[in-house]
């Protein structure tokens, strides 16, 4: 067999321990290996070899089998049990005449063997082979370690990527949750919103269809005059109050009641599993009572009331929206009764709501078809020896092609709600100014009853008109086109209109003053009863509401009846009239008593110092033509 070492590249600096008791062998091998640049050590016995390996740490051991103290197999076995030496490859050396047991050699841990006499190339190849093998094994071990380390690093990276992925998923889930929450809840109070309510009503409707005994109700609460809180104390306080209301409501609700905030100053309650309608009634009363208690917020004592509409969930409803429509109608009715009322829905209200809708439609047509007309009611100076005409109040009438004359009490509120009051009010302004100018022209004739009299035309302005930016420019245009001077006019607005537009009112009123238009507070005594505005705004006249003149209060429908009441104002009303007259005097204002129907009332008003009177006692509202005749008659009487 020919062995070549040229293709092998053993680590030339490799350390080799030769163990043999024969010096010749030792010498031969040492020479052979040293020539190949191996670092060689020698041991002449097994014992010495076992000691030498501890310090020398060879890369390979050439081990003789037959030795006097410990034989090679035994040495090898011991080397393999020591962790320091167990990985050193051992090549056995055997003489041809040795009894060489290959099985024992390999099983004791040897990796190869060389037989004597040595053939140099064979020895070198076998040595190089083993060293290469060891080196390759070490490389494999190192590669394995590196691989393991890389796997470990990668695992770490993956784990951290996984962790950040999990975090991202968690964040997304919570963002989604938040979005979902936002979609179904109100930001301010965190109460469920209208969308949420619709789904809940839908579920309740489903249940009522499968369980005939199941009853539920929806309550719609709207704060009365909440705008006033926002306007006077600011929106932050308004928000605080809304939260406090929500809290108070939540405290009253039974376990089966759920509170919602659809928006603004509105709240809704879904009451499930109700045993009888009385239960709902009790709850609405409780709510009205609880909310009538003052709220103490940031040093303010606040009072607020709510109006409540109620609708019972019934099987006839198909859609949740239908219940909301009805509860809204009920709320509207509750509001119409004044502050702090509740009203349950009744199907008849549908007809009323429908009628409102029809009226709105018909009013639009009435504007186009010019079905509106103005009538005029004289306002009399009652302080002189005999009463004389001090002005007129222009009052609108609607001549409906089918229903005849419709009272403004029936259509003005709807016109205000729908915004139709703007074009209607514009027409009233134009028409009243045109009529005033016409009477001015007539009054240039000494024969005309108004000759040289400083009378005024009073015109009612609605809240919407008053808060409309266009009021002053529109007015200028009318004054310009009719040729009327502003000082001929007096505008009547209610306390509510003034208070609800306190901010913009200043500018509008300044504009009116500039044009020397006077301002009267209409229906005084029925509104806010907050007198603070009197010194803030340039009010010229207080019109004391007619409800204080002839108890019981008369309805507008009574205007058409010819009978007049003989009753004089009762003590309580008298005191109010007196207070109003005195108040007006203190503020440099004059007073008009509305609804003067009897001589007794007139006499009392005169005594109290009321400046003007208006009412059926003098005249009902008349058309301009009728008014001309009436003026003529009054003039005749005065002359007589
Ligand atoms: P108002 O401004 O307080 O008008 C006085 C109302 O009292 C008028 O009712 C008048 O006809 C009635 N009245 C006058 N004297 C007596 C009396 O002795 N006894 C009784 N029982 N009633 C008397 P009318 O014309 O039905 O108007 C009702 C309300 O409609 C008005 O109250 C006013 O608020 C509103 N209105 C009328 N015309 C207009 C208008 O052109 N524009 C606006 N925005 N509102 C108007
Ligand atoms: Mg009026
Ligand atoms: Mg009035």
């Amino acid at each position: 067999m020919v062995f070549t070492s040229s293709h092998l590249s053993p680590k030339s600096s490799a350390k080799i321990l030769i163990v043999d008791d024969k010096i010749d062998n030792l010498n031969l091998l040492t020479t052979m290996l040293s020539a190949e640049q191996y670092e060689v050590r020698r041991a002449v016995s097994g014992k010495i070899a076992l000691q030498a390996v501890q310090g020398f740490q060879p890369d390979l051991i050439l081990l003789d089998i037959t030795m006097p103290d410990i034989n090679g197999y035994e040495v090898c076995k011991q080397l393999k049990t020591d962790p320091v030496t167990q990985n050193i490859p051992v090549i056995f050396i055997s003489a041809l005449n040795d009894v060489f047991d290959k099985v024992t050699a390999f099983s004791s841990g040897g990796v190869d063997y060389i037989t004597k006499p040595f053939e140099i190339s064979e020895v070198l190849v076998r040595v190089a082979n083993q060293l290469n093998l060891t080196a390759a094994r070490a490389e494999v071990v190192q590669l394995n370690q590196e691989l393991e380390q890389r796997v470990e690093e990668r695992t770490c990276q993956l784990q951290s990527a996984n962790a950040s992925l999990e975090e991202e998923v968690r964040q997304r889930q919570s963002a989604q949750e938040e979005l979902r929450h936002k979609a179904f809840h109100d930001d301010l109070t965190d109460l469920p919103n209208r969308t949420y309510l619709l789904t809940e009503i839908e579920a309740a409707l489903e249940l009522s269809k499968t369980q005939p005994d199941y009853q539920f109700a929806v309550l719609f609460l709207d704060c009365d005059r909440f705008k006033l809180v926002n306007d006077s104390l600011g929106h932050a306080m308004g928000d605080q109050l809304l939260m406090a209301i929500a809290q108070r409501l939540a405290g009253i609700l039974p376990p089966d009641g759920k509170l919602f905030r659809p928006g603004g100053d509105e709240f809704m309650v879904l009451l499930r599993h109700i045993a009888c309608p009385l239960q709902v009634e009790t709850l609405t009363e409780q709510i009205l009572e609880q909310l009538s208690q003052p709220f103490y917020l940031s040093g303010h004592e606040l009072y607020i009331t709510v109006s409540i509409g109620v609708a019972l969930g019934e099987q006839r409803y198909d859609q949740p929206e239908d219940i909301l429509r009805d509860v809204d109608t009920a709320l509207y009715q509750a509001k119409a009764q004044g502050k702090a009322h509740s009203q349950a829905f009744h199907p008849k209200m549908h007809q009323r709501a429908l009628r409102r809708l029809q009226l709105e439609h018909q009013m639009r047509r009435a504007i186009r078809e010019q079905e509106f007309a103005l009538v005029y009611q004289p306002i009399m100076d009652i302080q002189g020896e005999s009463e004389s005409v001090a002005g007129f109040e222009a009052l609108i009438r609607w001549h409906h092609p089918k229903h005849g004359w419709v009272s403004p009490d029936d259509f003005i509120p709807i016109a205000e709600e729908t915004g139709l009051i703007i074009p209607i009010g514009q027409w009233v302004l134009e028409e009243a100014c045109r009529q005033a100018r016409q009477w001015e022209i007539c009054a240039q004739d000494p024969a005309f009853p108004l000759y040289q009299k400083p009378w005024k035309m009073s015109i009612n302005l609605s809240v919407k008109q008053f808060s409309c930016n266009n009021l002053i420019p529109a007015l200028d245009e009318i004054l310009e086109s009719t040729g009327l001077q502003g000082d001929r006019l007096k505008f009547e607005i209610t306390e509510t209109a003034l208070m609800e537009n306190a901010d913009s009112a200043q500018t509008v009123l300044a504009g009116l003053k500039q044009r020397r238009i006077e301002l009267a507070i209409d229906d005084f005594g029925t509104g806010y009863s907050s007198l603070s505005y009197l010194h803030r705004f340039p009010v010229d006249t207080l019109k004391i509401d007619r409800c204080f003149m002839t108890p019981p209060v008369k309805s507008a429908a009574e205007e058409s009846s010819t009978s007049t009441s003989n009753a004089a104002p009762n003590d309580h009303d008298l005191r109010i009239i007196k207070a109003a007259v005195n108040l007006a005097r203190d503020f440099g204002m004059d007073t008009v008593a509305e609804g003067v129907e009897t001589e007794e009332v007139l006499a009392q008003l005169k005594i109290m110092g009321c400046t003007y009177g208006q009412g059926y006692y003098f005249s009902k509202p008349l058309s301009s033509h009728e008014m001309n005749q009436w003026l003529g008659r009054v003039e005749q009487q005065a002359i007589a």
Side-chain angles (χ1 to χ4, degrees), residues 274-569:
I274 49 175
C276 65
L278 188 68
Q279 205 180 328
V280 187
E281 214 176 302
T282 315
L283 180 67
T284 53
E285 273 165 21
Q286 239 179 323
I287 292 175
L288 291 176
E289 201 279 319
Q290 285 283 316
L291 290 185
S292 69
Q293 308 298 321
F295 288 89
Y296 298 97
L297 299 171
S298 309
H300 293 276
E301 181 177 304
L302 298 178
Y303 286 88
I304 189 89
T305 55
V306 289
S307 301
I308 308 175
V310 179
L312 290 177
E314 288 166 13
Q315 284 171 18
R316 67 188 169 86
Y317 288 117
D318 283 328
Q319 306 281 339
E321 285 85 357
D322 296 344
I323 300 189
L324 291 192
R325 178 202 58 212
D326 286 354
V327 79
D328 189 41
T329 305
L331 174 67
Y332 181 83
Q333 295 293 328
K335 283 255 170 209
Q337 295 168 42
K339 292 189 292 180
H341 276 86
S342 72
Q343 176 69 57
F345 176 78
H346 189 277
K348 263 190 190 156
M349 286 180 190
H350 239 348
Q351 288 154 12
R352 244 176 281 169
L354 253 158
R355 178 161 154 68
R356 275 182 53 216
L357 214 71
Q358 279 170 347
L359 262 182
E360 183 190 335
H361 173 71
Q362 290 163 354
M363 245 188 295
R364 287 181 198 278
R365 191 208 50 220
I367 298 171
R368 283 198 313 272
E369 304 292 323
Q370 298 182 338
E371 290 166 13
F372 293 113
L374 285 189
V375 288
Y376 303 90
Q377 189 174 32
I379 295 172
M380 308 298 284
D381 184 336
I382 58 172
Q383 282 305 306
E385 241 171 64
S386 60
E387 300 95 40
S388 60
V389 176
F392 308 90
E393 179 175 5
L395 294 159
I396 194 166
R397 297 290 177 266
W398 177 10
H399 190 253
H400 191 285
K402 220 157 85 200
H403 307 302
W405 291 109
V406 185
S407 159
D409 285 331
D410 288 341
F411 69 85
I412 291 287
I414 299 166
E416 285 188 344
E417 263 174 51
T418 53
L420 284 173
I421 194 68
I422 299 291
I424 294 175
Q426 166 86 6
W427 175 84
V428 170
L429 264 179
E430 278 169 16
E431 183 57 17
C433 287
R434 194 198 54 74
Q435 182 58 54
R437 181 63 193 144
Q438 201 181 341
W439 275 329
E440 261 184 356
I441 293 167
C442 293
Q444 286 166 2
D445 179 351
F448 193 73
L450 291 176
Y451 180 65
Q452 287 191 338
K453 289 210 171 80
W455 56 275
K456 293 217 185 267
M457 177 66 88
S458 294
I459 301 171
N460 293 288
L461 279 192
S462 87
V463 193
K464 280 256 171 72
Q465 268 178 294
F466 189 65
S467 56
C468 173
N469 289 336
N470 200 37
L471 177 65
I472 300 282
L475 183 67
D476 281 341
E477 228 172 84
I478 294 169
L479 291 180
E480 166 95 30
S481 69
T482 54
L484 194 75
Q485 295 297 310
D487 59 4
R488 182 66 76 196
L489 296 179
K490 184 179 278 205
F491 284 154
E492 297 188 2
I493 63 168
T494 58
E495 292 167 284
T496 321
L498 202 58
M499 292 304 286
E500 285 182 0
N501 298 284
D503 292 336
S504 56
Q506 295 283 9
T507 341
V508 178
L509 295 181
L512 297 185
K513 279 292 121 175
Q514 235 178 12
R515 288 154 186 79
R516 292 190 295 149
I517 298 170
E518 288 196 354
L519 182 74
I521 298 296
D522 206 352
D523 309 337
F524 183 74
T526 58
Y528 274 97
S529 313
S530 145
L531 302 174
S532 63
Y533 65 90
L534 286 180
H535 67 87
R536 278 173 64 195
F537 301 117
V539 178
D540 301 284
T541 306
L542 289 189
K543 288 194 79 170
I544 307 165
D545 194 74
R546 65 177 191 263
C547 70
F548 301 109
M549 306 300 153
T550 50
V553 184
K554 287 204 141 199
S555 68
E558 287 173 272
E559 194 189 291
S560 54
S561 87
T562 47
S563 70
T564 52
S565 161
N566 277 326

Side-chain angles (χ1 to χ4, degrees), residues 264-280:
D265 58 357
E266 297 167 351
F267 292 92
M268 285 193 148
V269 174
L270 175 63
L271 201 57
R272 282 173 283 219
H273 298 287
I274 49 175
C276 65
L278 188 68
Q279 205 180 328
V280 187

